Amino acid sequence: MSNYYTNEPDILELVALIKAHNIKRAIVSPGSTNISFAASLMYDPDIEVYSAVDERSAAYMACGLAASTGEPVIISCTGATAARNYVPGLTEAFYRHLPILAVTSSQPFGRVGHYIPQVTDRTNPMNDLVKKSIQIPISHTKEDRWSNNVKINDALLELRRNGGGPVHINIETSFSKVFDVKELPVPRIIRRYGYTDSMPNLAAERIVIFVGAHIVFTEALTNEIENFCSRYNAIVLCDHTSNYKGKYRVLGGLVERQLGCSPTCKNADLLIHIGEMSGSYFSINQSKIWRVSPDGEVRDPFQKLNSVFEMEELFFFKHYNDLVADAPENNSYYAEWIETEKGLLAKLPELPFSSPWIAQQTASKLPQNSEIHFGILNSLRMWNLFELPNTVSGYSNVGGFGIDGCISSLIGSALANPNKLCFIVLGDLATFYDLNSLGNRHIGNNVRILVVNNGTGFEMRHKYNRGEVFHEDADLFFAAGGHFGNQSREFLKNVAIDLGFEYLCAESKEDYIKALPRFVSNEAQGKPILFEVFVKVEDENNAFNQIHFVSQDIKSYAKQNVKNIIGEKGVQTIKNLFDGL
């Protein structure tokens, strides 16, 4: 019987990616734990495999091979202390920037620390041993497979990055005895491009430039992005933390939120991701993603990344603009997005007194050249449905994405910009979490705080959060309802007034409309302002549902009905079934 590749999926993925990244030489040391990997290399006709009994010698042999060829070399070893013997050679490689790929094979990771023979901890390499060290566990789910693919790509890219150097992959094996796989899988390959590399062709008819949280754009970068969009039929998909204000900007919140229809504008050929983390959870139907960032790191929030451009955004867009300098303007994709968004806004029903209604009434009325901060999740989500004035910048703590520190961040920004009005909108839990910041003696009269007090953590109470299956019981622990005075009409009022704030309050639409002009007034006030608005959870949920079903088509209507009938558990069971096929 002939032997071929192992049938262990993660090792197959590793070997396939090794070949895709053009690595052609390996030095294998004897052992049982690395048989699945070593045998798969041994039977591959495109990889030269050498043997070295002593791992110390193997690592130094790899140094010689890499130095002579200028190409990466694999070294493979078994468990126990085998990997420890790589230390001298990998140290040499580290200081000489030699691209050595150390693949150490391991028993199941859960055995580490339990006195099981030949199991050692390989999670913390020395600082000057390798550029990157990753752990590849046996994958059991689609999410596992995605994660392992990204990690392997990232590790292999690091071999040649910034002068090159050694990299470590510790991979778990199931000790399979089956070697009957004749063809490697076709893996997703992630490439990295730098300033001096030959850039890939851009062949796409509909392009989305997705902007995560971003500093305010320079005029030069804005101009290049506008030119890019006009020449490549692209749009710039933003939320209020993106801070892109140029032509072709699309605030996609309302389109994205739709569960009752499937807008065709969400179908794109390419998504170009710039900026940092986003709190918008956008979902675009695209086949490939390019990430452009000076850090050059592999970031894959959409799980379809295939190219990373380690360069300034200005350089990237200028490069591709120069290739098509004489191309005619094409804004058909932008027109489709705008038409879809306008259609949804026209169908938007009268909302109850709630967070989205407050955003709807307030967003366009913020003073020019002011800035606004948002609490994470619901506050940011609801305000992303409605456009701000073009000169208003937006921020949110979506980096760590925690409830803490929203007001403190606002205060810091207000101190840096004493002549600019600085607003924030957030819920009651976020407000009280950062309540001590209101007592800071440096707070100026340019601070305006809007607190939407629904008496609970609405994120755990809305219809599409799993906490909602507990209804009011979610307030016991998940949503933390009833704290901080349980919507007391006096607590926050007294705190605000005692700390030198002007206090405004609203409990109805009429109250809000009456107080709003004072809150958004561009005229200097003698005090900072805190505006507390009391809303009901049921109104929040009703508005939340209305936002998600502004429009409905037959396909989405049927899909939603199936979900209602079989429930989330049934939907997940079906997904798991198809994932396993």
Side-chain angles (χ1 to χ4, degrees):
M1 177 180 175
S2 298
N3 290 317
Y4 300 96
Y5 298 108
T6 180
N7 68 343
E8 296 189 42
D10 301 296
I11 293 177
L12 290 173
E13 183 83 355
L14 174 58
V15 174
L17 284 169
I18 282 171
K19 295 185 65 175
H21 284 267
N22 199 30
I23 301 172
K24 297 175 289 189
R25 296 178 180 87
I27 300 174
V28 175
S29 296
S32 297
T33 310
N34 61 330
I35 284 178
S36 293
F37 177 65
S40 296
L41 296 180
M42 180 173 66
Y43 282 101
D44 192 294
D46 299 322
I47 297 180
E48 299 176 17
V49 184
Y50 303 92
S51 176
V53 175
D54 187 326
E55 290 86 8
R56 293 173 300 174
S57 178
Y60 278 114
M61 285 174 61
C63 287
L65 267 174
S68 296
T69 62
E71 297 178 355
V73 178
I74 305 162
I75 51 178
S76 166
C77 73
T78 187
T81 60
R84 302 291 198 265
N85 296 321
Y86 282 157
V87 170
L90 288 180
T91 304
E92 179 74 14
F94 183 89
Y95 284 106
R96 289 175 61 191
H97 294 278
L98 298 175
I100 309 301
L101 175 62
V103 179
T104 60
S105 297
S106 173
Q107 295 183 40
F109 295 161
R111 297 180 182 179
V112 172
H114 292 289
Y115 291 173
I116 295 174
Q118 301 190 55
V119 177
T120 55
D121 189 344
R122 295 167 172 172
T123 56
N124 294 294
M126 299 173 183
N127 289 336
D128 57 355
L129 192 67
V130 292
K131 295 177 64 183
K132 187 181 288 287
S133 177
I134 64 168
Q135 307 290 314
I136 302 297
I138 292 173
S139 58
H140 301 284
T141 66
K142 183 179 180 181
E143 186 85 3
D144 293 340
R145 293 191 291 274
W146 161 75
S147 176
N148 284 347
N149 171 271
V150 172
K151 288 192 291 185
I152 294 170
N153 269 293
D154 192 18
L156 298 182
L157 286 171
E158 198 69 21
L159 286 165
R160 297 179 171 96
R161 186 184 184 194
N162 296 330
V167 168
H168 171 225
I169 295 178
N170 190 40
I171 189 164
E172 195 175 59
T173 180
S174 63
F175 294 90
S176 173
K177 296 181 180 179
V178 179
F179 295 87
D180 62 354
V181 176
K182 295 183 179 181
E183 294 186 7
L184 291 170
V186 179
R188 177 180 55 144
I189 306 164
I190 301 175
R191 305 290 188 190
R192 181 183 282 118
Y193 301 91
Y195 289 105
T196 60
D197 293 325
S198 178
M199 306 271 267
N201 292 331
L202 203 170
E205 297 181 4
R206 293 152 65 95
I207 299 174
V208 171
I209 301 172
F210 175 78
V211 188
H214 201 288
I215 61 174
V216 174
F217 282 68
T218 64
E219 182 179 356
L221 180 55
T222 298
N223 289 338
E224 289 296 341
I225 290 177
E226 288 180 351
N227 290 336
F228 181 93
C229 290
S230 69
R231 294 166 180 171
Y232 287 97
N233 195 27
I235 62 120
V236 185
L237 186 60
C238 302
D239 76 354
H240 289 322
T241 69
S242 301
N243 285 314
Y244 175 82
K245 302 294 185 178
K247 190 178 179 182
Y248 301 102
R249 166 186 165 96
V250 170
L251 186 67
L254 190 57
V255 174
E256 171 59 28
R257 296 260 73 82
Q258 297 313 300
L259 297 177
C261 64
S262 301
T264 58
C265 63
K266 292 178 66 176
N267 299 325
D269 302 311
L270 169 67
L271 185 146
I272 299 173
H273 179 197
I274 65 175
E276 312 308 328
M277 194 178 299
S278 173
S280 297
Y281 298 91
F282 280 124
S283 176
I284 301 298
N285 305 317
Q286 77 293 310
S287 57
K288 59 183 179 179
I289 292 176
W290 291 1
R291 165 78 175 145
V292 182
S293 175
D295 69 21
E297 297 296 335
V298 175
R299 315 287 191 196
D300 191 24
F302 302 98
Q303 301 190 0
K304 290 184 179 179
L305 182 70
N306 66 352
S307 295
V308 178
F309 297 82
E310 188 169 2
M311 58 191 63
E312 296 290 340
E313 297 157 358
L314 182 64
F315 181 92
F316 172 87
F317 288 108
K318 189 176 188 307
H319 169 82
Y320 282 101
N321 284 339
D322 290 345
L323 296 178
V324 290
D326 299 323
E329 182 176 353
N330 184 354
N331 61 7
S332 60
Y333 191 36
Y334 174 73
E336 182 181 343
W337 265 93
I338 295 302
E339 182 180 352
T340 302
E341 188 175 43
K342 285 182 177 178
L344 290 171
L345 283 169
K347 294 179 181 180
L348 192 64
E350 174 69 22
L351 299 170
F353 188 48
S354 58
S355 296
W357 182 88
I358 292 168
Q360 183 184 40
Q361 302 304 313
T362 314
S364 64
K365 297 180 177 64
L366 293 179
Q368 296 288 342
N369 299 307
S370 62
E371 69 179 45
I372 182 167
H373 296 241
F374 304 94
I376 59 167
L377 296 173
N378 197 52
S379 296
L380 178 60
R381 177 195 297 126
M382 292 299 103
W383 279 69
N384 279 334
L385 303 174
F386 307 102
E387 192 58 273
L388 300 171
N390 199 47
T391 59
V392 175
S393 52
Y395 304 94
S396 182
N397 288 351
V398 295
F401 230 104
I403 191 175
D404 48 329
C406 300
I407 301 175
S408 295
S409 292
L410 166 77
I411 294 171
S413 187
L415 289 173
N417 302 280
N419 297 317
K420 176 188 284 189
L421 285 177
C422 297
F423 293 82
I424 188 171
V425 56
L426 69 170
D428 50 297
L429 291 192
T431 300
F432 290 113
Y433 207 106
D434 202 16
L435 188 64
N436 68 305
S437 64
L438 295 181
N440 191 296
R441 61 186 170 87
H442 296 290
I443 294 177
N445 62 358
N446 61 331
V447 169
R448 309 275 175 91
I449 301 172
L450 176 58
V451 180
V452 181
N453 191 338
N454 53 35
T456 187
F458 180 69
E459 185 63 26
M460 283 65 71
R461 287 292 308 275
H462 69 69
K463 180 178 179 180
Y464 305 105
N465 187 287
R466 57 188 180 142
E468 179 56 19
V469 302
F470 297 92
H471 305 293
E472 290 79 8
D473 282 353
D475 277 338
L476 295 174
F477 301 104
F478 321 131
H483 287 298
F484 310 111
N486 196 21
Q487 289 191 298
S488 166
R489 269 51 174 177
E490 299 296 325
F491 181 21
L492 193 53
K493 174 183 177 181
N494 291 333
V495 170
I497 292 174
D498 288 347
L499 293 176
F501 283 77
E502 178 181 344
Y503 178 81
L504 304 175
C505 179
E507 297 196 40
S508 67
K509 290 183 177 181
E510 293 74 22
D511 290 346
Y512 190 85
I513 296 300
K514 183 178 179 180
L516 182 59
R518 176 72 175 175
F519 183 68
V520 299
S521 172
N522 201 23
E523 298 178 4
Q525 308 296 331
K527 300 178 179 180
I529 298 176
L530 190 148
F531 188 5
E532 186 173 20
V533 185
F534 294 96
V535 298
K536 300 176 181 177
V537 172
E538 52 266 33
D539 287 336
E540 292 274 69
N541 247 323
N542 288 337
F544 198 82
N545 196 54
Q546 286 177 299
I547 291 294
H548 284 78
F549 289 92
V550 175
S551 182
Q552 295 195 49
D553 58 32
I554 295 176
K555 180 180 178 181
S556 297
Y557 179 79
K559 181 179 179 181
Q560 190 63 35
N561 275 339
V562 169
K563 182 178 288 187
N564 290 338
I565 293 170
I566 67 176
E568 291 290 345
K569 185 175 181 180
V571 170
Q572 191 58 50
T573 299
I574 293 173
K575 284 183 179 179
N576 292 340
L577 175 63
F578 280 97
D579 282 348
L581 295 180

